[in-house]
Every structure is written in structure tokens, then in C-alpha cells.
Amino acid sequence: RASRDPSAAFQQRMAALRRPRERGLLCLAALLCAVCQQGADAQREAPAGRLLSGGRRWRGGGGGSRRTPTRLEETGSPESIIDTGARWRIRVVGSGRFLYKNGMSIIGTKQFFSLFELRRAASGAYFIADHAGDWLRLNSLEGADGFERLEAIKYRPPPPPDPASDAEHSAVVEVEQRSTGVAASSGPTPSPFWLTRHASGAYMVQVSADGRWYLCEHAADPQKLVAAAGGTVEGVNTSALFELQRVVAPEKEREQEAAPPGGALSFVERAKRCVMRKGGRDVVLATYHNIGMMDWASLFWGWLKASAIDRFFLLELDGLTCKAARALNVSVHFECATAADMMLPPELTHIQKASALADWGTTAESAYFKFLRWKLRFVELLAMQGVDVLMADVDVLILSPQFVPELVDMNVDLVISSDARQGSYDDNVHCPCSNAMYQRYTFDWVCAGLFYMRATPAALWFMRQAQEMMDEYTITDQDAIQAVLTGHTQVAIPQDKKRGNVSDGVSGAAARRAGSWLKPIWLEGLGATENLRNMRGTQPLNAPMKEPMWLRLLSAQKAKGFTWKTMPLERYGNGPILVHHWESMFGRSYGEGKAQLGDAPGIGGFRSIHANCNTKSWLAQDVRSRSFLLQPKPLK
């Protein structure tokens, strides 16, 4: 309670603690009340200002009891500043944690990171946004512990006023600004930040124009980034110093580099450089992503190396990912393919903001749908070169050197991972049918995020059928592959481009149901206010083909000699399996629990684990980064 005492006597006591000869007292004070953590290499000099644990501030220089937010009118607004195109990874020097947008919170994590753009206003202030376009701000409504926390917002600047009513508009703005300090009709606004360079080359991120407030980690919960008072760049400790690591160069600099991502080599030559010889067959491990998934990609690379896989072929989706991967020092050899290599029609390759996080819609125009279409074409083109293709999303973590050889030994045209729901995970919104009583409806579901396809005529027929299904009915790769294999989709309603619009009754958007398919089963939302009347949370399931269509497809499979298997979940786990075994296995560190299991390579006998079904958050929220999944190294 004394920390809120503004008296001169209190200030004198605080000043005494800052003197070098009083260092012993400072150590005692740090044990009792430090919130800004020091890393292993933290400076041992007393900082000019620290935070008290439990929500009390140590105010190093007196003054007001709260930070006064700076108005955009004082600094300029971000939409008026040109984006240079550079993207940065931001790391806390002391703890080594990276800034990461989890939902709309900005947290510090050991493994995951977001890429940020920094826009500098003429005033010298910076505005910071993540790569998806959400702007950073300090929430002026303090949390339960008393601190302002860093968060992301979807900022949309107010539209310009009608010139005919400029005078009236200005009057309204002036009145609102007096009462709220925020421009009229703008909603939450981004916070300006000031970067002050430290002698080490890192930066102190100040959050007030007068320099008295700065950003630092919260010691009791190092995932939180909070505002502290009274710091100076000379005396601040390493929990309030941030390293800026450039991952993507500015656009002008990129324009000067004429070399394409794939270099001068042809697609065939690049594919040959990625070939591995496994079980007497030539295999290429392929993946695809944009820079929005670079943090997962770095984890993916680490597990490839730990599992003795030394190369892969990357389909980049945005023209930025390959150079970004090289900037992050990818640990295994890779080659790059681009949209141009796919030789698809322009309507399938032109994407605006392809490097932002994918639009998860499944309309034919959505970026996500086009990405998935490129992916299947990528597999087809590789198989046409006579090499088998192991396609793995970057959130598939390969845990064993036996991973590839065992898939090769299954001796069928296609081996695909299972997406059946099993275990205790229950998140029907992000993982339909994960509730135990609905899991029976997913027993034959497959996952297009991990499959091994041989370079056979039958497999090529299958891959072309799946692409035709995507194009004809506007469904994802997963629904298309499911349909070709089992005669039904998972959560898609196949659409017919040639028919008129029919409301789907869920989103209110127009859907064009295909007449060659039967209606889906409707899974009612499980929330208290979700029901079939209001359609909230309602999801379509397992829309089947009409019988004649399915019989024709079965006949074609038999004529082509196409064979396939599903990977067993007990060896190639998915998101629900990850959650089910989190406490007993995947959430543990090396040496705990079932880290060593006799003759079964990989932990618990698992060759891989796929963090799908929104289970990435389980890893991102591992505050201590205990999970061995976050620390790739060979498993015993």
C-alpha cells in the first residue's frame, strides 16, 4: 500500500534504494515486489522504475496516478502513414519471449511469434500492427491486477466528413474530444509508441509522449505485456528491452532483388533437389504456407531435422515466404515453388493480400480456397515427375525417423491421416463433433493436412478427381478428398455454379446447393441459446452424394485400381488426440511421463501429431513452454 504514497518521504526512500551503495536493499525489494523480470543476462543496476506485483505501481518520478493516453491528433493516425512493407519479429531481451497475437491479446511466448509492421509518424511516434492488420494498443481499462495490458484491435478510421457539413462535423468532434479524448465515431484507436535505442542495440518501448511510461513483462505472468512508470533507457532492465528482428525487407528493397524465389532453376530441377530415397522409393516432402504461419514453420523445420529429414519443397503463397524462411535461418534444405509454377487459370492465382492470414471462407473467390487449390495442383505436378509426395501442413510435427519409411511400407496409392474425433476434447465450435456423443459421426473422416501419395496412374486419377470436385462444387480440399474416398463431405454443402442462389439458412449468405447431392445432417449448436430455430451455431454434416453419382465414382476407382488406407490415430495423432493426452504426454517436458517407451520410436509410439482443430492454442498458452513439442530434438 505504501507504493501509492505520493509523499516526499516515500520518494526519498525510493531514491535511496536506487543508489549503488544500497544494492543490498534493492535485492530485498526485488524479491518482494519486482514485476518486470530480469533474464539470465539481466542488468543488475537498479531500474529507474519498477512495477509492484499484485497490481501496485512503483512510480519512480512522482506525478499523476495514471498514464494519460496520447490522442491521435497529437501524433498523426496510422492510416495516413505509408506501409513500407517491412515486417519484424519482436523479442523481449531478458526472457527471450516473442510478441504473439493470441486471439486479440498480445502475449509473450517462447516459440510462437507474430510479424509486425511499424509505421513512423512525422511526430516520431510509431504505430504497430500485426501482419493481419490488427493494431496494437494499451487497454486503458486496467485489468484485475491494476495494469494496462497490450492488446490488438480492429481499427477502422472514421470516414471523411461531407464537405457540405464541415463546420457542423468539426463542432461535434471538438465536443467529443473534450469529453473522451477520442475522435468522434472512431471507436478504439491504436496507441502510439516511442522507440528509444539502448546501448546494447535493443529498444525501450515508451508508451507516453513524456517518456515516463514504458512497456515491460509482468513477472508474475511473463506472457503479459504491461505499462510501467518511471523508466529511463539507461537504467531499465532487460525485461523492458525489445529486440527488433527484420524478417521481411521493405518493398523497395525487395523490388531491387530481381531473382525469383525459385531462382533460375526449373520446377523439375527444384523438385529433384528435394528428393529423398526412402524404402526404395523417391519421395518429396511438400508443404505450403504464407508468412502468417512462419512461427509454426520454424517449429516444423525443427522437428524435420530432429527426425532425420533433411529437405522439403515449399509452395509459397505470397511471394514473401521463401525469403522470410531464409532470413530465419531454416535448419534444413528447401526449394521454393510459386503460383506461377502451378500453371492455373488467373482466377485461381490472383489473390489480394495473399500474405495476410488466410480468409477462411470457402467461396470460390476466397484466398483460403485458392490456397488449397494450389496445394492439390502442387501434389499433382510433383507426382507427374515420377516421385511420391508426402504432403504435410506446417502444423504437423513429425516426431520419429520412422515416419516416412512406415508410410512407404503401407504399399497403397494413398495413405491419409484420420480426422476422426476421439478422446476428451470438446470444442464443437472449432472442432465439429468433438463432443463425445457426436464423435460417432466422424468415424471415417480423413484429413487433407497429412497424406502420402504414390506416383501411380491411379493416384494421379484420384488427385485430379479431387481438384475437379473442388472446382465443380466449391468445396475445400478436405471435403473434396473425403467425397472422392467415401461419397460424402464433412462440413461443406456442395454448391452448383450453374444454379440460382438458395439461402443456406445458417449464415444468411447465398448458397447454390448442387442437385446431385443429398441434404446434410444438421448439427444443432450446443450453446444454451443455440437451436434449430435461430440456427446459431448450427453446422451441416456429412452431405452425401446421390446414389448414382457415388456408384459411378466407385466404379471408376475399381477400374483404375485405386487403393487407399487411413493412418492409425494411435501413431499419427490429430488435434483431439493432442488435447486428450496433454496432461499425460504432450504437455510434459523431456524426461517426464512417457518420454521413453521401449521399442516404439517417438513419444508414446506417435510418429506425428497434428495441431489442428484449434489445438494450437494449447501450445501457445503453455506459459512455461514445458511441452517437449516446443523444443524439437531427437526422441529416445
Side-chain angles (χ1 to χ4, degrees):
R1 295 184 188 276
S3 66
R4 295 188 181 273
D5 184 355
S7 67
F10 175 74
Q11 297 300 334
Q12 290 173 0
R13 291 197 298 273
M14 295 302 100
L17 286 175
R18 295 190 190 96
R19 297 184 190 125
R21 67 173 180 270
E22 301 292 341
R23 195 166 300 172
L25 288 176
L26 174 63
C27 291
L28 176 60
L31 287 172
L32 296 174
C33 63
V35 166
C36 287
Q37 285 184 321
Q38 294 188 1
D41 60 342
Q43 302 168 24
R44 300 303 178 186
E45 293 294 330
R50 291 195 181 187
L51 295 181
L52 295 177
S53 62
R56 300 182 176 87
R57 294 187 190 81
W58 181 336
R59 305 192 188 285
S65 61
R66 288 177 63 95
R67 182 182 69 90
T68 302
T70 304
R71 298 197 303 267
L72 293 187
E73 289 74 21
E74 301 173 31
T75 58
S77 55
E79 72 274 9
S80 63
I81 308 168
I82 295 175
D83 175 16
T84 66
R87 295 294 180 267
W88 305 81
R89 188 166 66 164
I90 303 177
R91 176 180 172 270
V92 181
V93 172
S95 67
R97 291 177 178 270
F98 296 101
L99 268 63
Y100 173 68
K101 190 184 80 170
N102 188 29
M104 296 304 284
S105 298
I106 302 298
I107 63 174
T109 70
K110 290 281 190 179
Q111 175 60 44
F112 302 108
F113 58 85
S114 297
L115 295 180
F116 296 94
E117 61 170 293
L118 283 72
R119 296 193 189 185
R120 190 176 189 275
S123 64
Y126 286 84
F127 294 96
I128 305 175
D130 86 316
H131 192 63
D134 296 329
W135 294 91
L136 270 57
R137 74 186 288 262
L138 280 164
N139 191 338
S140 57
L141 299 175
E142 296 176 346
D145 58 4
F147 297 117
E148 294 180 287
R149 297 177 188 172
L150 198 61
E151 66 178 12
I153 59 168
K154 295 188 178 297
Y155 170 64
R156 298 294 180 267
D162 183 350
S165 60
D166 272 353
E168 180 183 351
H169 176 82
S170 297
V172 172
V173 168
E174 186 176 354
V175 170
E176 290 210 16
Q177 286 180 356
R178 283 201 206 103
S179 61
T180 66
V182 179
S185 303
S186 64
T189 57
S191 294
F193 301 90
W194 290 262
L195 304 183
T196 303
R197 193 176 180 88
H198 185 264
S200 65
Y203 290 87
M204 182 180 183
V205 179
Q206 293 164 322
V207 295
S208 62
D210 60 11
R212 287 186 56 252
W213 290 80
Y214 60 97
L215 197 65
C216 76
E217 280 184 336
H218 189 302
D221 184 354
Q223 283 200 331
K224 294 178 184 175
L225 284 304
V226 297
T232 65
V233 71
E234 294 82 8
V236 76
N237 67 13
T238 52
S239 63
L241 289 177
F242 296 84
E243 180 184 354
L244 302 181
Q245 302 173 349
R246 196 180 78 174
V247 176
V248 180
E251 190 171 349
K252 287 185 178 179
E253 188 175 321
R254 297 198 304 266
E255 290 173 352
Q256 295 171 359
E257 300 175 0
L265 298 176
S266 68
F267 178 84
V268 174
E269 291 170 319
R270 279 173 273 150
K272 288 179 179 178
R273 288 189 170 196
C274 299
V275 171
M276 303 178 288
R277 190 70 178 172
K278 300 287 184 179
R281 300 189 67 85
D282 290 337
V283 182
V284 170
L285 172 61
T287 191
Y288 71 108
H289 62 89
N290 59 12
I291 62 170
M293 290 289 285
M294 287 305 301
D295 54 342
W296 272 97
S298 63
L299 194 59
F300 177 78
W301 307 329
W303 278 109
L304 292 186
K305 185 175 182 180
S307 299
I309 296 174
D310 63 355
R311 62 195 63 211
F312 67 95
F313 205 172
L314 168 62
L315 171 60
E316 70 162 16
L317 305 177
D318 51 17
L320 302 173
T321 301
C322 283
K323 290 180 180 177
R326 294 189 173 103
L328 291 174
N329 297 314
V330 59
S331 54
V332 293
H333 175 78
F334 72 100
E335 298 291 334
C336 287
T338 67
D341 292 316
M342 300 302 101
M343 297 180 289
L344 288 168
E347 61 268 21
L348 286 175
T349 56
H350 177 69
I351 299 177
Q352 292 183 340
K353 297 183 179 179
S355 59
L357 295 180
D359 167 14
W360 287 83
T362 53
T363 65
E365 294 76 27
S366 76
Y368 179 59
F369 180 84
K370 293 177 182 179
F371 288 169
L372 299 179
R373 184 65 174 81
W374 297 4
K375 166 188 168 182
L376 295 196
R377 175 63 171 168
F378 187 33
V379 173
E380 179 191 3
L381 290 175
L382 286 171
M384 288 171 63
Q385 308 309 314
V387 297
D388 297 351
V389 185
L390 174 55
M391 171 57 72
D393 288 358
V394 291
D395 52 1
V396 173
L397 305 181
I398 298 173
L399 306 178
S400 169
Q402 297 302 314
F403 176 79
V404 180
E406 288 187 2
L407 294 178
V408 172
D409 288 345
M410 290 190 185
N411 199 29
V412 290
D413 295 307
L414 178 75
V415 186
I416 190 165
S417 59
S418 171
D419 212 22
R421 292 7 178 179
Q422 290 185 13
S424 57
Y425 187 45
D426 186 1
D427 183 356
N428 199 59
V429 174
H430 299 102
C431 196
C433 292
S434 56
N435 181 279
M437 299 308 293
Y438 291 102
Q439 291 176 3
R440 69 195 72 182
Y441 297 107
T442 69
F443 77 97
D444 66 348
W445 281 14
V446 297
C447 180
L450 175 62
F451 61 87
Y452 171 75
M453 193 185 89
R454 292 196 168 202
T456 64
L460 275 168
W461 167 84
F462 160 78
M463 187 51 56
R464 288 164 182 158
Q465 285 291 308
Q467 291 176 82
E468 289 177 13
M469 198 78 71
M470 290 184 71
D471 295 341
E472 180 67 22
Y473 300 109
T474 317
I475 54 179
T476 66
D477 63 329
Q478 183 145 314
D479 284 296
I481 287 174
Q482 183 78 56
V484 175
L485 295 178
T486 65
H488 64 83
T489 63
Q490 291 182 8
V491 294
I493 301 176
Q495 302 173 30
D496 191 339
K497 297 178 182 179
K498 300 176 183 179
R499 296 186 60 192
N501 292 346
V502 179
S503 172
D504 64 10
V506 178
S507 63
R512 302 172 292 276
R513 291 200 182 100
S516 52
W517 296 72
L518 296 171
K519 293 181 179 181
I521 300 169
W522 291 99
L523 176 60
E524 188 177 45
L526 301 184
T529 62
E530 296 175 333
N531 53 60
L532 290 175
R533 291 187 297 277
N534 60 34
M535 300 298 285
R536 291 178 190 155
T538 300
Q539 297 169 320
L541 295 178
N542 296 341
M545 300 173 184
K546 288 185 176 178
E547 189 174 17
M549 181 179 178
W550 174 232
L551 291 176
R552 286 195 299 270
L553 196 54
L554 279 178
S555 177
Q557 286 188 25
K558 185 176 180 179
K560 298 291 182 180
F562 175 71
T563 57
W564 67 283
K565 287 181 181 178
T566 304
M567 299 179 196
L569 276 174
E570 60 271 17
R571 286 182 177 261
Y572 307 88
N574 58 11
I577 293 293
L578 185 153
V579 173
H580 183 72
H581 293 291
W582 180 257
E583 293 297 332
S584 63
M585 188 181 305
F586 295 113
R588 293 177 176 267
S589 61
Y590 289 101
E592 286 187 287
K594 301 178 180 178
Q596 300 182 28
L597 290 171
D599 61 354
I603 193 159
F606 283 99
R607 276 36 174 179
S608 65
I609 191 72
H610 188 180
N612 61 356
C613 246
N614 200 46
T615 55
K616 299 178 184 67
S617 60
W618 285 77
L619 291 168
Q621 292 172 8
D622 184 1
V623 177
R624 297 182 182 178
S625 299
R626 290 179 60 215
S627 171
F628 75 91
L629 293 176
L630 300 176
Q631 304 160 48
K633 64 180 182 180
L635 294 170
K636 294 182 181 179

